[in-house]
Amino acid sequence: PKTDIVFLKVHKSASSTVMNILFRFGETHNLSFAFPLGGGYQLYYPHHFLARFVQGFSPQSPRRFNILCHHMRFLQPEVQKVVPSSAVYFSILRNPVQLMESSFVYYKGASAFSRVRSLEEFLSQPYRYYNPASGDRHYARNLMTFDFGFNPDGDVSHERVQLMLKAIEASFDFLLISEYFDESMVLLKEMLCWDLDSVVSFPLNSRDSSTKSPLPDSVVEKLKAWNRLDWEIYTHFNRTFWERIDRAIGRERMRREVRALRQRQAELARTCLQGTGSVAPKDIKDSSLRPLQHGGARILGYNLKQGLGGELERTCRRLVTPELQYSSFLYKKQFPPQPP
């Protein structure tokens, strides 16, 4: 199994669920994480990543960490200073239409969104609300492009787009697609030589459907045009995702593997969870399992069954522990507080 991993956690793309998978694998195999200084949750995002943002990094010592997966704005030469040269690089993408709809609800406080009532209103005259010089502009335009380290207001000419796509291909071993999450997990398992249980998950940091609304076609087209760079990234890597599957796995085996993954997840849900699945934040009984609530979204969580024993309780709890709590727990384990 591959144990040296760089995961670029792209916003609002099921990346918290992938992070949970990496946390669990790292914990089980006693691997080290490149944590933000002081145990924070982001590597000085939205600034480009620098090695010195990592707790325990020093230019003098050749220490390398197994897994880098906290939010960062990608900059490969700096990333290479903190992980082994053998590291596998991957990320996950989401259709920019749904991504922006999600971003609008989640980052409602961002300067570009704060004065509009709806995404339609924003897209009717985006430059009235959007300021390319503001520090939080990236939440409102080409968010994936920004996370990969590029300029979200950059040139959309064919040449520039091709350069960007080639640069991403040169840095990343593969990219997953959140709309095909189960297929993505099978591909991840294949690429990292992991077993099935390592890639099972329950959706984390997902929001209540009451805040989701379908967008009219006219808005969808405006949205694609406004997020043109993201759209180019998504359509290109959606295509290469299926090409990779055909090459590495084949559609027939993929169907079998997805079925096995879903059966295992259903079995774990029956074993671990009260009720049928995720619940509203107010209904989460164990406060340590309550996810961070942000913006206008209601982020769902889970209740564990009572009376789960020892190892089983641990397995179930890890599957539903929100990102911030799990990250803090692993940070304290890796950097135990010094006694006074």
Side-chain angles (χ1 to χ4, degrees):
K2 304 270 197 296
T3 53
D4 298 326
I5 294 157
V6 173
F7 171 54
L8 177 63
K9 186 176 188 297
V10 169
H11 286 77
K12 314 312 308 154
S13 304
S15 54
S16 293
T17 309
V18 178
M19 204 168 176
N20 176 273
I21 287 169
L22 295 173
F23 280 168
R24 281 170 15 228
F25 187 86
E27 186 188 0
T28 307
H29 295 85
N30 216 6
L31 303 176
S32 61
F33 289 87
F35 283 107
L37 277 173
Y41 305 114
Q42 300 196 336
L43 289 153
Y44 215 54
Y45 186 88
H47 298 275
H48 273 105
F49 175 81
L50 294 175
R52 61 184 170 81
F53 301 158
V54 172
Q55 180 75 43
F57 170 79
S58 121
Q60 288 74 43
S61 90
R63 175 164 190 195
R64 295 281 191 273
F65 300 90
N66 300 113
I67 299 178
L68 173 60
C69 63
H70 285 72
H71 266 311
M72 62 170 161
R73 189 172 183 208
F74 190 67
L75 187 60
Q76 192 164 15
E78 288 291 314
V79 169
Q80 287 167 332
K81 296 176 184 176
V82 300
V83 294
S85 57
S86 59
V88 176
Y89 287 68
F90 79 100
S91 185
I92 188 164
L93 305 175
R94 184 180 183 185
N95 185 314
V97 176
Q98 281 75 48
L99 177 71
M100 183 151 187
E101 189 273 332
S102 177
S103 193
F104 180 78
V105 175
Y106 201 79
Y107 300 113
K108 191 69 187 76
S111 54
F113 294 150
S114 60
R115 306 202 321 279
V116 291
R117 285 185 304 280
S118 67
L119 199 46
E120 291 167 63
E121 189 183 338
F122 174 79
L123 289 163
S124 65
Q125 35 187 162
Y127 281 110
R128 186 174 163 195
Y129 308 107
Y130 176 83
N131 174 5
S134 79
D136 61 0
R137 63 176 174 161
H138 51 284
Y139 293 125
R141 188 177 202 189
N142 291 315
L143 183 48
M144 294 192 289
T145 302
F146 183 86
D147 286 353
F148 276 96
F150 303 100
N151 177 6
D153 296 299
D155 173 10
V156 296
S157 68
H158 179 74
E159 294 72 31
R160 290 304 297 246
V161 166
Q162 291 309 307
L163 278 172
M164 177 175 73
L165 297 176
K166 284 193 167 60
I168 295 172
E169 281 181 332
S171 299
F172 288 83
D173 295 287
F174 57 98
L175 295 183
L176 306 175
I177 303 288
S178 66
E179 283 76 16
Y180 303 103
F181 192 78
D182 293 342
E183 290 84 353
S184 291
M185 292 307 99
V186 172
L187 184 63
L188 182 67
K189 171 173 94 73
E190 192 73 14
M191 293 301 181
L192 301 179
C193 305
W194 288 7
D195 62 7
L196 182 70
D197 268 14
S198 297
V199 297
V200 298
S201 63
F202 297 143
L204 294 176
N205 206 29
S206 59
R207 67 186 166 115
D208 180 338
S209 57
S210 67
T211 57
K212 297 177 185 174
S213 49
L215 300 166
D217 291 348
S218 58
V219 174
V220 168
E221 290 312 311
K222 282 181 184 164
L223 218 154
K224 285 181 191 172
W226 175 248
N227 293 291
R228 174 69 191 284
L229 294 172
D230 271 11
W231 186 249
E232 295 282 358
I233 291 175
Y234 179 76
T235 50
H236 176 81
F237 287 105
N238 188 9
R239 196 181 67 247
T240 60
F241 173 77
W242 293 103
E243 288 167 1
R244 170 68 63 99
I245 284 171
D246 289 339
R247 225 170 37 240
I249 300 171
R251 299 287 169 112
E252 189 43 51
R253 192 175 132 223
M254 175 55 88
R255 276 190 284 275
R256 287 199 307 274
E257 297 253 4
V258 165
R259 201 160 49 238
L261 177 66
R262 286 176 182 162
Q263 281 167 348
R264 181 67 180 128
Q265 283 172 180
E267 186 188 324
L268 280 163
R270 285 192 299 273
T271 305
C272 296
L273 303 179
Q274 282 180 32
T276 51
S278 54
V279 296
K282 66 176 177 22
D283 298 324
I284 301 169
K285 299 183 183 76
D286 180 342
S287 61
S288 70
L289 296 178
R290 205 168 286 148
L292 173 76
Q293 302 299 311
H294 197 78
R298 277 202 313 186
I299 306 300
L300 304 172
Y302 298 91
N303 284 316
L304 291 178
K305 277 187 176 159
Q306 298 298 304
L308 295 168
E311 192 53 40
L312 181 61
E313 204 272 346
R314 209 186 73 98
T315 300
C316 292
R317 179 169 287 275
R318 296 289 185 266
L319 277 161
V320 300
T321 299
E323 177 188 327
L324 304 191
Q325 288 92 311
Y326 207 158
S327 184
S328 294
F329 166 79
L330 292 171
Y331 177 80
K332 291 187 185 107
K333 197 171 155 186
Q334 190 169 311
F335 299 102
Q338 295 303 308

